[in-house]
Amino acid sequence: MTVQQNENFPTTDDFAALLDTHEDFTSAVRENEITTGRVLEVGDDYVLVDIGFKSEGRIDLSEFIDEKGEVTVRAGDDVDVLLEKREDESGQCILSKERADRMKVWEIISEKAEADELVRGTITNRVKGGLQVDIGVKAFLPGSQVELRPTRNLDKYIGQEFAFKIIKFNKQRGNIVLSRRALLEKERAELKKKTLEKLKAGAVIDGIVKNLTDYGAFVDLGGIDGLLHITDMSWGRVSHPTELFNVGDEIQVKVLKFSAESERVSLGYKQLTPDPWEGAEDRYPDGAHVLGRVVSLIDYGAFVELEEGIEGLVHISEMSWTRRIKHPNRVVSEGEIIRCVVLNLDTDAKKVSLGIKQVEPNPWTLLEDRYPVGTRILGKIRNITDFGIFVGIEEGIDGLVHISDISWTQKIRHPSEIYEANQEVEAVVLNIDVENERFSLGIKQLESDPWETLPQRYPPGKIVDATITKLTDFGAFAEVEEGIEGLIHISELADERIENPSEVVKVGEEHKVEVISVDPKERKIALSIKNFVRRSESGHLREYAEESGATAQLGDLLKGKLGDLTGDEEE
């Protein structure tokens, strides 16, 4: 019987052709190359993939699990895998999806590097010298390439996604170096070009606070930075820029100065509002009572803010009419709201002088009525100085008794020779100087000046007793009554020439002297022993002998004179 061949059945030639095609495919796929396979089975820990070889490849299931922990393939899916080895010892081919994915990423990155295109990636962790970035494969971002300027805190960038420029690519070594700085510089250059077109003095533009220092803030205007000095931040007092701004703040500023050559920009913030000194003389006329906040204390006074941008000084001398203030903190404290009086306002110098004591009436203006000149007062000595004593008149007001007003006649080297602190004394009001706040007293004025009657009591020619108190080169001083001294000039001690007063008189000796002259204005009395002796020689010796209490020295001198006279008569 003859068997008829079915046209639908493959022939021997078909099998031969099919075998040739399979051998051509399997020989075309080389080790370490990517090929497409079909998932035949997804097991508990493996995935079976057919790439057309006589045996399938088993791939670990972990290579098909995503970030959520879910399997990403099913039987029948086509996947790209890498042929690591055509056959192992058991005859199976060794495949890898992970290596295939990585290789595809490298190919994409290689193409981007050649085309100078950007890549996106997430910074994963910090490494030596910089940061590690995941762009599908691990890449290195040097610390110097993170920002426009070097930054110390690299940790703050971890977890953030950015665009990067590939500045170094070596596929064989698996080395990729990225730069974010190159991108920022390009963006900044474009922004700078646009910003420079609108930069001019007086322009108001937006900016971002980039950095804060003790003296101001640097503001990014868009590709170019400007300095906002601390003095241009507010019309009021600013101790530090952080009181007004934080890094990253978006603010509006006014261009004060701009140099195209140096590209330096000076900015102002307070200039966006009117200068408070404009019209200040109308708001704060002299004598006006105002409220203000104490913002600063210094040794010589307190600064008081009347409004933002206007501060006045209360000098320490303007804090109390009567109290002696050692430091302003005895009267006011920082932050305190106080009432003041405007003493003077200078809009050109932008200065305001204020007073606290002027809020109350000046007690010194009332003193003239209460204590007219000539009034006798009693008070305790509050202080003793080289130049006098201070006597308490009333609370906070002392009167000065100058050392020259303590006694008409007594020579006082220091007031402490006579007085003690807290001692009660009586004095006379001599003068009240309200403007300079000085109260002058006198103690000697309680009695009349003895020098006023001295010319009547000691007329020229009068013989008086005198005690030698002091010797000088030009004569001797002698006291004629308590506190009243006269001068016996060296030429008035004797008829003969005297080289030294001590040849004739000694301190403590008592002598009869003749008054030559009295000058109450200059408080001087001229005395003479010589004139008295001459008068004695002319017939008044007995009077002298009876009344004189002279020492033996002067007695001997007179006896000598008498002896000379007797001898002359006998001859």
Side-chain angles (χ1 to χ4, degrees), residues 231-249:
T231 56
D232 290 309
M233 290 183 175
S234 171
W235 294 111
R237 180 184 293 261
V238 180
S239 300
H240 196 275
T242 51
E243 294 177 10
L244 298 177
F245 306 110
N246 294 308
V247 173
D249 285 353

Side-chain angles (χ1 to χ4, degrees), residues 105-172:
V105 172
W106 275 97
E107 289 174 356
I108 294 170
I109 294 172
S110 177
E111 291 172 0
K112 287 183 178 290
E114 290 179 6
D116 198 25
E117 295 180 2
L118 303 179
V119 294
R120 293 196 67 84
T122 302
I123 297 174
T124 56
N125 58 289
R126 185 168 180 172
V127 295
K128 184 178 180 181
L131 298 166
Q132 191 173 81
V133 184
D134 182 5
I135 58 173
V137 293
K138 293 180 181 179
F140 176 61
L141 174 63
S144 62
Q145 298 297 318
V146 177
E147 288 284 358
L148 290 170
R149 292 185 178 89
T151 179
R152 292 183 179 179
N153 184 16
L154 295 177
D155 292 332
K156 67 180 180 180
Y157 297 98
I158 295 174
Q160 296 189 52
E161 182 181 343
F162 299 102
F164 301 95
K165 178 180 175 65
I166 301 170
I167 58 175
K168 188 175 181 181
F169 181 81
N170 190 321
K171 185 176 181 180
Q172 291 181 345

Side-chain angles (χ1 to χ4, degrees), residues 370-388:
R370 290 205 296 267
Y371 303 100
V373 173
T375 303
R376 293 192 174 206
I377 63 167
L378 276 176
K380 288 187 177 181
I381 298 174
R382 289 182 176 170
N383 191 22
I384 299 176
T385 67
D386 294 340
F387 54 85

Side-chain angles (χ1 to χ4, degrees), residues 299-333:
D299 291 339
Y300 56 85
F303 285 99
V304 178
E305 184 183 58
L306 303 181
E307 64 178 80
E308 185 177 344
I310 296 184
E311 290 181 8
L313 172 65
V314 180
H315 193 271
I316 196 169
S317 63
E318 303 296 343
M319 291 187 170
S320 174
W321 290 114
T322 58
R323 292 168 55 196
R324 291 183 176 86
I325 310 299
K326 292 183 178 180
H327 195 276
N329 60 15
R330 302 288 182 89
V331 180
V332 296
S333 56

Side-chain angles (χ1 to χ4, degrees), residues 486-506:
L487 172 64
I488 308 171
H489 194 269
I490 193 170
S491 63
E492 297 296 331
L493 288 173
D495 280 329
E496 65 271 18
R497 182 180 180 82
I498 302 297
E499 297 295 334
N500 191 334
S502 62
E503 296 175 12
V504 181
V505 295
K506 303 289 184 186

